[in-house]
């Protein structure tokens, strides 16, 4: 297969730049360029919207001046067909020009998540889906509609004059390429009290999106978010891919941002008990906080291993930026051992190959990723690692960690093999961090997961949960309750819980999206493939240029790819529209059915 998507012919775009000299003084408007979203709301601080009077303090309003804008003629009206996108240069920055249903629109050209070029993404039904990780943005408002990511896109005015398409853009928005949605302000913050209208346990994507969504929807009472971590929210998936990154470099939101939007963050604050009758949470420091609504999003914790030598130093579970930094430092020109073939473990191994003297991986399966990706894909990825000097010790387990003066020196396997090791990372999987909920009255299943309904509410009224710790009704499996511990899915849970708290429930319609990066190659995955019974592969697996369709019976339930962007986002778009992809559709190798006319 030479490729999945057609490419439009390159068109030379002539840019005519005009700085506005005379223009009407710009009026005051909200940060997202729309009218205030807080009208027809209630001002009483309940879990409802705020009033028009409150909206004046909801977000700083920007007064734009004519010199803040520029205009550019970017193309002829016939240069774009319906369903086409083009990245255009306005002189002081670039924009994404879109034509759909005969109408032009323009917005930021880079995904605010990791900066993917949206022109290579999927345009469908009024939104653009990112080619890398599946985030969706409304082409009229620029608002983020599906995750991952926290920010939306700026939008720009488009008009047609004498068959020329002209974009008028705010220069600051053109440079930033992202914007935060307008948020309400808290009307009565009193951090000295032991009561919060909304208390959030956990500062990962579920907790953070929940807090921001509440403010975006006009909630004006107190929000407190507490975390065991000592850092503000950060991008945890990057830990295993970029071991030397600091917490500052990984930061999702700054303390200043949270303070500006009245989201109180309590760091190094571990919840140890929940009393649902008294509506109170007790923390490790013996402090206590009461709540009206509670959102639990504590994420996962590493599964413990049983081996001799538990007290030997330089053995890590990758949990914090400090862990990652220590691993990178200790592995420099030394021997690194990775226990487990989870995505985290494999990503760490890949990241260490250009630093360590040797990298070894121990796995209990014969092939990594076999259960998640199938045998053929697993073997191809294993070969990629072996080509990069990584040694595998599969069908094996750790018996003992041996140290000298307390420092790790050797890892002994149950097979009797002894590996030299100066640093070890354990990536053998994880489970829900829900031990503190025992005796709370919040129901958990036998594995410690918290079942929730469509609004993310637990069995207890007013107590919601999300992220890695929950099983939730998934529409893609006829609302069977499943656990999907993806970074992207946690965002969705946070937003859904916030809507549920405000009495305006919204159902989860997202398609799960996952990604991994190893040796500069990206694996993308969409759908829910648990229990797949066949894998249909198009392309060349050995060359790591392939698309793998995972099927149950006669239906495609998930897709994975390497070097075939944006095929996974395309399939996510099809699945997200409610359409069924049949096994026979992907067996032929003809994927023209996935391609919209004129898309890039």
């Amino acid at each position: 297969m030479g490729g999945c998507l057609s490419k439009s012919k390159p068109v030379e775009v002539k840019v005519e730049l005009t700085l506005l000299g005379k223009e009407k003084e710009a009026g005051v408007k909200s940060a997202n360029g729309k009218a205030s979203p807080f009208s027809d709301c209630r001002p009483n601080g309940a879990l409802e919207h705020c009033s028009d009077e409150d909206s004046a303090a909801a977000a700083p309003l920007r007064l734009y001046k004519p010199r803040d804008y520029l205009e550019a003629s970017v193309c002829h009206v016939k240069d774009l067909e319906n369903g086409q996108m083009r990245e255009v240069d306005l002189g002081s920055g670039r924009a994404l020009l879109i034509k759909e249903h005969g109408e032009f629109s323009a917005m930021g050209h880079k995904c605010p998540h990791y900066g993917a070029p949206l022109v290579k993404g999927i345009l469908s039904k009024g939104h653009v889906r990112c080619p890398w990780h599946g985030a969706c943005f409304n082409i009229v408002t620029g608002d983020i509609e599906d995750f991952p990511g926290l920010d939306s896109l700026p939008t720009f005015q488009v008009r047609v004059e004498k068959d020329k398409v002209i974009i008028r853009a705010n220069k600051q928005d053109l440079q930033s390429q992202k914007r935060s949605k307008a948020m309400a302000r808290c009307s009565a913050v009193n951090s000295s009290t032991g009561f919060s209208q909304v208390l959030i346990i956990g500062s990962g994507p579920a907790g953070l999106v929940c807090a921001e969504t509440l403010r975006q929807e006009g909630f004006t009472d107190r929000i407190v978010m507490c975390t065991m971590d000592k850092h503000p929210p950060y991008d945890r998936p990057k830990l295993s891919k970029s071991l030397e990154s600091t917490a500052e470099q990984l930061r999702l939101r700054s303390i200043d941002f949270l303070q500006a939007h009245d989201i109180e963050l309590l760091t190094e604050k571990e919840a140890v008990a929940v009393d649902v009758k008294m509506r109170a949470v007790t923390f490790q420091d013996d402090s206590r906080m009461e709540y009206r609504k509670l959102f639990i999003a504590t994420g996962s914790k590493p599964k413990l291993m049983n081996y001799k030598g538990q007290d030997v130093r330089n053995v890590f579970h990758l949990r914090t930026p400090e862990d990652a930094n220590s691993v990178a430092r200790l592995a420099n020109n030394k021997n690194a051992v990775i226990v487990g073939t989870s995505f985290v473990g494999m990503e760490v191994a890949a990241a260490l190959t250009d630093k360590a003297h040797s990298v070894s991986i121990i796995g209990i399966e014969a092939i990594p990723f076999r259960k998640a990706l199938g045998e053929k894909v697993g073997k191809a990825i294993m070969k990629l690692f072996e080509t990069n000097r990584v040694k595998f010790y599969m069908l094996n387990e750790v018996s003992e960690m041996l140290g000298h003066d307390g420092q790790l020196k050797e890892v002994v396997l149950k097979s009797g093999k002894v590996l030299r090791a100066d640093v070890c990372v354990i990536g053998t999987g994880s489970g829900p961090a829900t031990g503190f909920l025992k005796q709370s009255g919040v129901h958990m299943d036998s594995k410690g997961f918290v079942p929730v309904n469509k609004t993310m509410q637990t069995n207890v009224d007013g107590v919601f949960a999300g992220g890695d710790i929950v099983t939730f009704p998934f529409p893609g499996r006829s609302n069977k309750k499943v656990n999907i511990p993806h970074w992207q899915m946690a965002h969705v849970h946070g937003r859904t819980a916030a809507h549920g708290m405000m009495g305006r429930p919204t159902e989860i319609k997202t398609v799960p999206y996952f990604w991994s990066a190893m040796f500069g190659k990206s694996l993308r995955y969409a759908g829910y493939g648990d229990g797949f019974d066949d894998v249909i592969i198009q392309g060349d697996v050995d060359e790591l240029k392939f698309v793998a369709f995972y099927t149950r019976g006669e239906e495609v339930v998930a897709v994975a790819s390497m070097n075939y962007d944006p095929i996974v986002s395309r399939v996510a778009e099809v699945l997200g529209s409610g359409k069924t992809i049949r096994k026979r559709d992907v067996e032929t190798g003809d994927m023209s059915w996935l391609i919209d006319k004129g898309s890039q």
Side-chain angles (χ1 to χ4, degrees):
M1 292 171 59
C4 299
L5 300 178
S6 61
K7 295 183 179 179
S8 60
K9 295 180 180 179
V11 177
E12 183 178 347
V13 179
K14 183 180 179 181
V15 176
E16 299 175 11
L17 183 63
T18 306
L19 291 176
L20 304 185
K22 293 183 180 180
E23 194 167 335
K24 294 181 181 179
E25 190 71 22
V28 176
K29 55 184 177 181
S30 66
N32 60 8
K34 299 190 294 181
S36 169
F38 306 121
S39 55
D40 300 319
C41 307
R42 293 176 59 180
N44 58 6
L47 289 171
E48 302 288 348
H49 283 301
C50 64
S51 67
D52 284 336
E53 302 93 273
D54 293 325
S55 71
L61 301 181
R62 292 187 283 177
L63 182 62
Y64 292 136
K65 299 178 180 179
R67 65 174 176 269
D68 295 332
Y69 291 85
L70 57 81
E71 281 190 357
S73 173
V74 294
C75 68
H76 190 275
V77 69
K78 293 183 179 179
D79 284 343
L80 264 71
E81 297 180 14
N82 276 322
Q84 276 195 311
M85 302 184 288
R86 179 159 296 130
E87 197 175 288
V88 294
D89 191 349
L90 278 71
S92 293
R94 302 180 74 82
L96 184 68
L97 180 64
I98 301 162
K99 187 177 183 181
E100 190 174 51
H101 306 306
E103 298 289 332
F104 287 95
S105 57
M107 62 185 187
H109 70 99
K110 293 193 300 185
C111 179
H113 179 227
Y114 281 2
L118 292 175
V119 70
K120 295 183 178 180
I122 306 301
L123 171 63
S124 177
K125 298 179 181 178
H127 66 247
V128 175
R129 186 182 288 269
C130 171
W132 290 357
H133 307 129
C136 293
F137 301 90
N138 187 290
I139 65 174
V140 176
T141 65
D143 287 350
I144 186 169
E145 294 183 336
D146 202 355
F147 303 97
L150 299 169
D151 292 309
S152 295
L153 291 169
T155 55
F156 312 116
Q157 296 177 12
V158 184
R159 71 178 189 276
V160 176
E161 287 184 4
K162 298 180 180 178
D163 291 335
K164 289 183 178 180
V165 179
I166 299 169
I167 295 178
R168 179 179 185 269
N170 174 269
K171 287 186 282 187
Q172 183 179 330
D173 290 342
L174 204 59
Q175 289 296 314
S176 71
Q177 288 292 318
K178 64 181 180 180
R179 65 171 175 83
S180 298
K181 289 184 181 180
M183 297 192 202
R185 296 299 303 271
C186 185
S187 57
V189 173
N190 185 352
S191 59
S192 64
T193 67
F195 173 81
S196 179
Q197 195 84 354
V198 172
L199 177 58
I200 298 170
I201 307 176
S203 64
L208 185 57
V209 170
C210 180
E212 291 195 19
T213 301
L214 287 170
R215 287 285 183 247
Q216 290 163 3
E217 295 297 320
F219 177 59
T220 60
D221 218 312
R222 190 180 184 196
I223 299 173
V224 173
M225 182 165 59
C226 59
T227 175
M228 291 173 57
D229 218 305
K230 68 178 185 180
H231 303 292
Y234 58 88
D235 192 341
R236 190 179 292 274
K238 278 188 176 179
L239 284 182
S240 53
K241 305 174 182 71
S242 180
L243 296 169
E244 294 175 316
S245 295
T246 64
E248 180 81 9
Q249 292 168 328
L250 298 174
R251 188 178 66 192
L252 295 174
R253 293 299 197 204
S254 67
I255 291 291
D256 289 345
F257 179 94
L258 297 175
Q259 289 177 344
H261 300 292
D262 295 330
I263 298 170
E264 297 175 53
L265 176 67
L266 305 178
T267 57
E268 298 181 274
K269 195 83 168 173
E270 181 181 358
V272 294
V274 174
D275 185 335
V276 297
K277 291 182 179 179
M278 299 299 294
R279 294 193 174 223
V281 174
T282 302
F283 299 96
Q284 193 172 38
D285 60 7
D286 291 329
S287 64
R288 190 168 176 270
M289 182 168 287
E290 297 178 359
Y291 61 84
R292 183 184 168 199
K293 302 285 186 182
L294 178 66
F295 182 52
I296 307 167
T298 43
S300 59
K301 62 179 181 179
K303 288 183 179 177
L304 299 179
M305 290 175 54
N306 184 23
Y307 59 83
K308 295 179 183 178
Q310 295 275 351
D311 57 340
V312 173
R313 294 193 297 275
N314 299 342
V315 179
F316 296 87
H317 291 97
L318 202 68
R319 301 296 297 164
T320 67
E322 288 78 14
D323 290 341
N325 297 167
S326 295
V327 169
R329 175 177 52 81
L330 292 166
N332 191 37
N333 294 318
K334 297 294 181 66
N335 303 296
V337 171
I338 312 299
V339 182
T341 54
S342 65
F343 280 100
V344 168
M346 296 286 279
E347 287 170 358
V348 170
L352 288 178
T353 52
D354 62 351
K355 299 179 180 67
H357 172 70
S358 70
V359 178
S360 304
I361 297 177
I362 303 163
I364 59 173
E365 299 279 346
I367 300 167
F369 304 142
R370 185 181 62 82
K371 288 184 179 179
L373 301 175
E375 187 167 320
K376 288 183 179 179
V377 175
K379 280 183 176 179
I381 294 176
M382 188 173 181
K383 181 180 176 183
L384 170 66
F385 275 74
E386 290 173 332
T387 303
N388 283 275
R389 302 187 304 110
V390 175
K391 292 202 69 176
F392 285 91
Y393 298 88
M394 305 301 280
L395 299 174
N396 234 312
E397 294 182 68
V398 174
S399 172
E400 186 174 5
M401 301 280 187
L402 292 175
H404 178 69
D405 293 334
Q407 305 278 359
L408 177 68
K409 288 300 175 185
E410 292 176 327
V411 175
V412 182
L413 306 185
K414 288 188 176 179
S415 64
K417 180 72 176 178
V418 179
L419 306 179
R420 293 173 61 188
D422 299 288
V423 61
C424 177
V425 176
I426 298 178
T428 51
S430 59
T434 54
F436 70 103
L437 293 176
K438 292 178 180 177
Q439 313 303 322
S440 68
V442 175
H443 178 65
M444 293 186 288
D445 66 17
S446 59
K447 295 181 179 179
F449 293 106
V450 178
V452 295
N453 64 16
K454 292 180 180 181
T455 69
M456 308 310 295
Q457 186 165 256
T458 68
N459 63 303
V460 180
D461 184 48
V463 177
F464 297 75
D468 293 3
I469 69 170
V470 303
T471 57
F472 67 99
F474 179 52
R477 285 289 174 91
S478 303
N479 289 319
K480 175 186 175 183
K481 289 193 176 181
V482 301
N483 173 253
I484 304 179
H486 294 350
W487 184 254
Q488 169 254 9
M489 188 59 68
H491 289 69
V492 179
H493 289 172
R495 181 174 62 183
T496 305
H499 288 156
M501 288 179 185
M502 297 188 75
R504 289 184 284 105
T506 55
E507 292 188 15
I508 292 176
K509 295 182 180 180
T510 192
V511 176
Y513 210 110
F514 173 81
W515 64 93
S516 182
M518 297 164 283
F519 303 108
K521 301 182 184 299
S522 292
L523 173 79
R524 316 214 190 278
Y525 181 100
Y528 181 64
D530 187 58
F532 68 87
D533 52 34
D534 199 5
V535 187
I536 310 300
I537 296 177
Q538 304 293 348
D540 192 329
V541 177
D542 292 332
E543 294 297 321
L544 299 177
K545 183 178 175 63
F546 66 88
V547 185
F549 295 95
Y550 299 87
T551 63
R552 290 178 75 242
E554 296 303 312
E555 184 178 342
V556 173
V557 292
V559 61
S561 82
M562 293 184 83
N563 291 307
Y564 251 102
D565 290 343
I567 189 68
V568 170
S569 287
R570 171 66 71 189
V571 172
E573 191 62 37
V574 174
L575 294 176
S577 69
K579 296 178 182 176
T580 298
I581 302 175
R582 297 294 178 187
K583 186 176 182 178
R584 62 176 179 268
D585 295 331
V586 299
E587 286 179 320
T588 63
D590 176 17
M591 284 187 270
S592 58
W593 54 275
L594 278 173
I595 305 167
D596 287 344
K597 181 181 178 182
S599 62
Q600 292 191 346

